[in-house]
């Protein structure tokens, strides 16, 4: 610790030895620095505030019918894209700065500086504060600063209005283009669907006669019923043939035992019952005018008539031994002919149902493909139709939105503070610079005195001399000052203190009258 104090003592003594050099340097640096600070050009800030009114009664009234962009986002986007190169070049032309630019490099430098120095931002916060924007620009020429702010304010308002119209116009143009494309797709889908329906009539699901699987089941059921009817008709025909050939007996009931209507002929009764059963089945599927129904009714009527004729032939008045043969044979031949006709008609019906079933069965592999393709065509058509109708609605909404956006008073710009430049410049901060110069001068003077003391060292104590020379110091002879020397020392000390005091007073005076200096510089020509 003692060594550190001794070292500091040596340094201070060295600086004190060259104090007048330090004072001269301090005064020189301070005077030059303060002169430069005083001569610094004033920096004037031109500013303006604008309020964007986005509150309108039309907007809530038209809610749901129109699509209105968020005005806050729209204005925020204008603010972000306002200070761009095209706009800055436009400002340069508006304030005639392009006249002073001679080279392309100077023009690029001017554009870059303006982009950095122009400031645009929100001027407030809270309720309605986000709609207030401030524009500011600093320049040593107040008139130029004001003109630049005024030009930027004009561009800000124009950008806000033009953007609204441009957005609506571009939206309508895009929607019209999409409508035309989807209309062409819709027409193509309609033509494809129509052509497919014409090509696959009867195979499509949802038609009046049912889908493919219902048709196949119905054809199979009709085939089985017709095959059953054919078997019944063949059995009846074979029974008649047996009666004609004599293989089956023919019973005749005497008329006194029963009336002609109650004569029992097993074969005729069986055929009549079978035909009536077939008639009931046919009536379930066909009307009374169907050929099968008409033929069955006619055959039933013939068999009943034949039954009555046989009853007459077996009446008591007939004593001919051959009455059971010739008339009955004739009736059996007639019945056989009818039975053959019925079998032929049923065979034709079986063949038709068989062909229809086979045709439907052969389409079993193609039907799923047809249904899948039909479903795909319907889905494409439905999607295109839904998109087309939705685009038509959006076009109406976009047109109304454009008219709403362009309506007067929907979003207005009000200038709260027009562009202005205060008389007092905002810079430079001379108080700060004066203080920096003052302390820099002090450090420069002390530093120079310290460096000189190190370049031209001296011994200021016995210990210092002993350490450097390595010689034993026996003693020291003190300096004895005369009265005249003491008086001179006091005068020099007074002069030294007075010089520092004058420097400090000059610094304080400059700080107190820095505003007057600003006004004095402001009156100087630019």
């Amino acid at each position: 610790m003692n060594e550190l104090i001794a070292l500091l003592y040596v340094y201070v003594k060295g600086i004190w030895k060259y104090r007048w050099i330090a004072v001269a340097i301090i005064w020189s640096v301070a005077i030059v620095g303060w002169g430069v600070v005083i001569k610094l050009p004033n920096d004037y800030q031109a500013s303006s505030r604008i309020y964007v009114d986005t509150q309108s009664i039309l907007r809530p009234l038209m809610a749901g019918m129109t699509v209105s962009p968020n005005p806050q986002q729209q204005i925020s986007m204008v603010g972000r894209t306002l200070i761009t190169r095209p706009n800055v070049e436009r400002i340069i032309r508006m304030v005639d700065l392009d006249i002073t630019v001679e080279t392309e490099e100077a023009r690029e430098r001017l554009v870059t500086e303006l982009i950095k120095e122009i400031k645009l931002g929100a001027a407030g916060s809270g309720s309605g504060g986000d709609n207030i924007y401030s524009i500011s620009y600093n320049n040593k020429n107040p008139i130029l600063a004001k003109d630049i702010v005024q030009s930027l304010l004009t561009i800000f308002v124009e950008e806000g209005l033009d953007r609204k119209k441009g957005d609506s116009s571009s939206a309508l143009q895009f929607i019209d283009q999409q409508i035309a494309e989807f209309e062409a797709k819709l027409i193509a889908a309609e033509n494809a669907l129509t052509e497919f329906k014409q090509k696959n009539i009867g195979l499509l699901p949802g038609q009046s006669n049912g889908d493919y699987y219902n048709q196949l089941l119905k054809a199979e059921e009709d085939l089985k019923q017709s095959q059953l009817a054919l078997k019944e008709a063949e059995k009846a025909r074979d029974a008649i043939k047996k009666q004609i050939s004599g293989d089956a007996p023919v019973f005749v009931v005497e008329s006194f035992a029963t009336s002609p209507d109650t004569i029992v002929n097993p074969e005729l009764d069986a055929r009549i019952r079978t035909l009536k059963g077939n008639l009931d089945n046919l009536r379930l599927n066909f009307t009374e005018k169907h050929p099968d129904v008409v033929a069955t009714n006619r055959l039933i009527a013939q068999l009943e008539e034949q039954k009555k004729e046989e009853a007459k032939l077996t009446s008591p008045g007939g004593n001919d031994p051959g009455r059971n043969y010739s008339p009955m044979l004739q009736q059996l031949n007639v019945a056989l002919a009818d039975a053959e006709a019925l079998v032929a008609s049923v065979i034709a019906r079986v063949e038709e149902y068989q062909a229809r079933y086979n045709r439907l069965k052969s389409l079993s592999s193609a039907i799923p493909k047809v249904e899948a393709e039909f479903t795909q065509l319907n889905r494409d058509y439905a999607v295109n139709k839904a998109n087309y109708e939705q685009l038509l609605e959006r076009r109406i909404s976009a047109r109304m939105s454009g008219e709403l956006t362009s309506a007067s008073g929907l979003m207005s710009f009000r200038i709260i503070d027009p562009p202005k430049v205060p008389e007092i410049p905002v810079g430079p901060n001379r108080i700060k610079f004066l203080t920096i110069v003052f302390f820099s001068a002090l450090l420069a003077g002390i530093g120079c005195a310290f460096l000189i003391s190190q370049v031209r060292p001296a011994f200021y104590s016995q210990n210092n001399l002993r350490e450097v020379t390595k010689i034993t110091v026996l003693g020291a002879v003190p300096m004895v000052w005369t009265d005249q020397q003491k008086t001179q020392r006091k005068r020099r000390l007074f002069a030294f203190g007075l010089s520092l005091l004058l420097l400090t007073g000059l610094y304080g005076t400059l700080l107190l009258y820095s505003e007057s200096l600003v006004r004095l510089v402001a009156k100087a020509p630019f």
Side-chain angles (χ1 to χ4, degrees):
M1 186 65 182
N2 294 330
E3 294 179 357
L4 180 59
I5 295 174
L7 183 61
L8 290 177
Y9 175 76
V10 171
Y11 289 159
V12 171
K13 292 290 288 185
I15 293 172
W16 179 255
K17 180 179 180 182
Y18 300 100
R19 60 187 178 278
W20 290 109
I21 297 176
V23 170
I25 293 174
I26 290 173
W27 271 93
S28 300
V29 173
I31 295 300
V32 173
W34 287 338
V36 172
V37 172
I38 292 174
K39 289 297 183 179
L40 287 176
N42 291 328
D43 188 18
Y44 293 90
Q45 185 181 67
S47 61
S48 177
R49 289 194 306 164
I50 184 171
Y51 174 68
V52 183
D53 187 7
T54 58
Q55 302 298 325
S56 174
I57 192 174
L58 288 177
R59 195 175 300 278
L61 289 176
M62 299 300 291
M65 299 179 64
T66 60
V67 179
S68 299
N70 190 336
Q72 302 290 348
Q73 295 180 355
Q74 191 173 11
I75 297 302
S76 178
M77 183 61 66
V78 173
R80 294 192 190 99
T81 59
L82 181 62
I83 307 177
T84 57
R85 183 180 183 85
N87 288 338
V88 172
E89 291 179 349
R90 182 180 174 187
I91 292 173
I92 292 175
R93 292 190 298 269
M94 293 174 68
V95 298
D96 297 332
L97 282 178
D98 55 339
I99 300 176
T100 61
V101 178
E102 297 180 355
T103 62
E104 189 65 26
E105 291 77 7
R107 185 182 186 86
E108 290 292 333
R109 187 166 53 254
L110 179 60
V111 171
T112 304
E113 290 176 357
L114 286 177
I115 291 176
K116 292 181 180 179
E117 294 174 359
I118 295 176
K119 297 180 178 60
L120 173 68
S125 60
S127 179
D130 293 337
N131 290 345
I132 300 177
Y133 295 86
S134 65
I135 302 173
S136 62
Y137 173 69
N138 292 9
N139 193 275
K140 63 181 181 178
N141 189 340
I143 299 176
L144 179 61
K146 182 179 179 181
D147 292 342
I148 289 178
V149 171
Q150 179 63 55
S151 301
L152 192 62
L153 182 64
T154 302
I155 295 175
F156 182 81
V157 176
E158 291 179 355
E159 285 281 339
L161 297 176
D162 293 341
R163 185 178 292 271
K164 294 185 296 182
K165 297 178 181 178
D167 291 345
S168 301
S169 177
S170 59
L172 280 174
Q173 184 178 0
F174 176 77
I175 292 177
D176 289 337
Q177 180 182 359
Q178 294 298 315
I179 286 177
E181 293 179 2
F182 275 98
E183 185 176 4
K185 293 180 181 179
L186 185 62
I187 293 175
E190 290 176 347
N191 294 335
L193 190 59
T194 301
E195 182 180 356
F196 187 81
K197 287 181 178 179
Q198 293 175 352
K199 184 179 178 181
N200 299 277
I201 294 177
L203 303 180
L204 300 176
Q207 293 184 342
S208 58
N209 55 350
D211 58 10
Y212 165 76
Y213 298 102
N214 290 334
Q215 295 181 41
L216 183 63
L217 292 176
K218 185 177 184 304
E220 184 180 6
E221 184 66 24
D222 292 340
L223 178 61
K224 291 180 178 179
Q225 291 181 0
S226 62
Q227 289 174 348
L228 179 61
L230 177 61
K231 290 181 180 180
E232 293 174 350
E234 289 176 346
K235 290 289 184 180
R237 182 196 61 185
D238 294 341
I240 294 175
K241 286 181 178 181
K242 288 180 180 180
Q243 289 181 2
I244 293 176
S245 62
D247 294 338
V250 179
F251 298 95
V252 179
V253 182
E254 296 297 332
S255 60
F256 62 86
T258 181
S259 63
D261 294 334
T262 59
I263 295 297
V264 177
N265 188 335
E267 295 294 336
L268 290 178
D269 291 340
R271 290 180 61 193
I272 291 173
R273 285 194 303 270
T274 301
L275 291 174
K276 286 183 178 181
N278 293 336
L279 181 62
D280 292 336
N281 292 330
L282 291 174
R283 284 175 176 173
L284 292 176
N285 298 317
F286 307 102
T287 61
E288 293 293 334
K289 295 182 179 181
H290 193 274
D292 294 340
V293 176
V294 174
T296 304
N297 284 327
R298 184 174 68 250
L299 184 57
I300 291 174
Q302 291 176 357
L303 292 177
E304 290 179 349
E305 187 68 25
Q306 181 181 352
K307 183 178 178 180
K308 292 179 181 180
E309 292 295 333
E310 289 179 358
K312 292 178 181 180
L313 291 175
T314 56
S315 62
N319 297 321
D320 186 6
R323 65 183 184 274
N324 290 329
Y325 296 97
S326 296
M328 286 295 297
L329 184 61
Q330 293 178 359
Q331 295 295 329
L332 289 175
N333 289 329
V334 173
L336 179 61
D338 294 337
E340 292 288 351
L342 178 61
V343 169
S345 64
V346 175
I347 290 175
R349 186 164 67 249
V350 169
E351 291 177 352
E352 174 62 24
Y353 286 149
Q354 185 68 47
R356 188 181 303 176
Y357 176 77
N358 293 336
R359 183 178 66 85
L360 292 174
K361 191 71 174 177
S362 64
L363 296 176
S364 60
S365 60
I367 287 298
K369 298 181 180 179
V370 172
E371 292 182 350
E373 187 175 355
F374 182 69
T375 303
Q376 179 67 32
L377 289 174
N378 276 331
R379 182 167 59 250
D380 295 342
Y381 174 75
V383 170
N384 290 325
K385 183 178 180 181
N387 291 333
Y388 179 74
E389 293 176 350
Q390 188 174 9
L391 283 173
L392 291 178
E393 295 178 358
R394 293 294 176 87
R395 181 171 61 180
I396 297 174
S397 178
R399 184 177 291 109
M400 294 178 63
S401 299
E403 295 175 355
L404 175 64
T405 304
S406 301
S408 176
L410 187 60
M411 185 169 63
S412 59
F413 297 85
R414 290 188 294 175
I415 299 176
I416 300 176
D417 294 330
K420 61 180 180 180
V421 180
E423 295 182 359
I424 304 300
V426 296
N429 190 349
R430 287 185 170 82
I431 295 178
K432 181 179 70 174
F433 291 149
L434 290 173
T435 304
I436 292 174
V437 169
F438 176 71
F439 286 103
S440 299
L442 292 177
L443 291 176
I446 296 173
C448 289
F450 176 76
L451 290 176
I452 295 173
S453 67
Q454 295 299 312
V455 173
R456 300 178 62 182
F459 298 104
Y460 301 101
S461 65
Q462 297 178 19
N463 294 331
N464 190 11
L465 179 61
R466 186 184 304 113
E467 291 176 359
V468 173
T469 61
K470 305 299 182 179
I471 299 174
T472 302
V473 179
L474 300 177
V477 179
M479 177 67 72
V480 178
W481 301 96
T482 63
D483 294 337
Q484 184 180 0
Q485 290 175 337
K486 291 180 180 179
T487 302
Q488 290 178 355
R489 289 187 65 189
K490 290 180 180 179
R491 289 176 181 176
R492 286 195 296 269
L493 183 60
F494 177 77
F496 177 76
L498 181 61
S499 64
L500 294 181
L501 183 62
L502 289 176
L503 183 65
T504 305
L506 181 58
Y507 166 67
T509 303
L510 292 175
L511 292 182
L512 291 176
Y513 294 97
S514 59
E515 185 176 349
S516 299
L517 291 174
V518 170
R519 294 180 180 179
L520 181 62
V521 176
K523 294 179 181 179
F526 296 101

